[in-house]
Amino acid sequence: MSVEQDLPAVGEAPVGTAPARKATAAVVRDSLGIGLTVGVSGLAFGIAGSAAHLSVWQTCALSLLVFTGASQFALVSALAAGAALPAAVLGALFLGARNAFYGLRLGPRLELSRLTRPFAAHLMIDETAAVALTQPDRRTARLGFAVTGISLFATWNLCTLAGALGADALGDPAVYGLDAAGPAVFLALLAPRLREGATELKVAAVGAVLALAATVVLPTGVPVLLSIAAVPIVLAAGRTREGDAGAGPDGPDGDGLATTAGRAGKEDLG
């Protein structure tokens, strides 16, 4: 089924009418609220970048060119912990790969011109995708995506600059405990995911065990990458349990055995 078939059957209100103006105002209000609120966390990234011994311009360049919070925090947290640059970059790339899947989902819905697609790709993050996907039609989806992306990009980068300059003026971040800002914010980003279901909790637990066990024998940064193996391990274990349950007394095989035994008993009684 195409994306357009997934959209509501009711068409969008004609542009210029009162319902259309009301919908536009609501989208702009909500999108600005998300963009400005989330963008302020760029302050924490600016501080985290300084804690990882990045210069102000290096920290700001990450926000300008990467612009995906989780990946940026993962990168600077790994660098602050002493990880090798290739390992830190690879971990950040793994986290950022999800944005490509957002693009596949939103491409048919937004139907942007070839000229604007590169700019839209740079703004394709969790918040812009969430706003666009919740809109009832293409016009409001485009508007929500653009307003959220532009406001968040501007706020995030300005706050990154402010955080980096402030931390740089303070001197050594470790003296004030600011070296813990990166890991703390990264954990705060992950915390909501752990409330989504049992599978997420299992993946987090197995990943933590793998990383801690590997820390003893592997170089810094590599255990974090190894923890990604928790995903296939948990999924494979879940499928195995489902297969065992299906073959139990209540599953198809179990029913067959029970039916056969029942028929044999009736024949003996008869």
Side-chain angles (χ1 to χ4, degrees):
M1 182 177 289
S2 68
V3 174
E4 289 307 308
Q5 288 175 315
D6 292 337
L7 295 176
V10 179
E12 61 182 276
V15 178
T17 62
R21 288 195 297 269
K22 185 176 180 181
T24 298
V27 172
V28 171
R29 180 195 64 227
D30 295 343
S31 300
L32 280 175
I34 293 172
L36 297 177
T37 303
V38 177
V40 172
S41 60
L43 282 168
F45 178 72
I47 296 171
S50 178
H53 304 291
L54 299 178
S55 66
V56 172
W57 77 265
Q58 287 173 327
T59 304
C60 291
L62 276 174
S63 282
L64 281 168
L65 303 176
V66 178
F67 188 55
T68 174
S71 295
Q72 290 179 229
F73 277 112
L75 177 63
V76 297
S77 297
L79 292 176
L85 182 59
V89 170
L90 187 58
L93 286 174
F94 272 120
L95 282 173
R98 71 190 186 282
N99 295 332
F101 294 100
Y102 292 152
L104 292 175
R105 180 68 177 87
L106 282 173
R109 169 173 283 236
L110 298 177
E111 283 194 354
L112 300 174
S113 66
R114 291 187 177 181
L115 182 63
T116 57
R117 285 176 192 172
F119 302 99
H122 194 54
L123 299 179
M124 189 69 67
I125 55 176
D126 296 338
E127 290 78 13
T128 54
V131 170
L133 287 171
T134 56
Q135 302 308 316
D137 53 64
R138 178 172 289 116
R139 183 183 67 84
T140 53
R142 286 176 172 176
L143 180 63
F145 181 90
V147 174
T148 303
I150 293 171
S151 62
L152 205 162
F153 183 82
T155 308
W156 175 267
N157 280 280
L158 287 173
C159 288
T160 295
L161 176 61
L165 288 173
D168 193 54
L170 289 173
D172 185 5
V175 174
Y176 306 95
L178 297 180
D179 54 325
V185 174
F186 191 59
L187 287 175
L189 291 172
L190 290 178
R193 301 293 183 187
L194 300 181
R195 295 194 291 268
E196 292 181 357
T199 302
E200 286 77 5
L201 282 172
K202 292 175 184 176
V203 169
V206 174
V209 170
L210 290 174
L212 289 173
T215 300
V216 182
V217 295
L218 294 177
T220 303
V222 177
V224 176
L225 299 179
L226 181 64
S227 66
I228 297 171
V231 177
I233 290 174
V234 171
L235 293 178
R239 292 194 187 99
T240 301
R241 283 194 297 271
E242 289 175 2
D244 292 342
D250 296 330
D253 295 338
D255 289 342
L257 291 173
T259 303
T260 302
R263 289 175 181 170
K266 288 181 181 179
E267 290 174 359
D268 290 342
L269 290 173

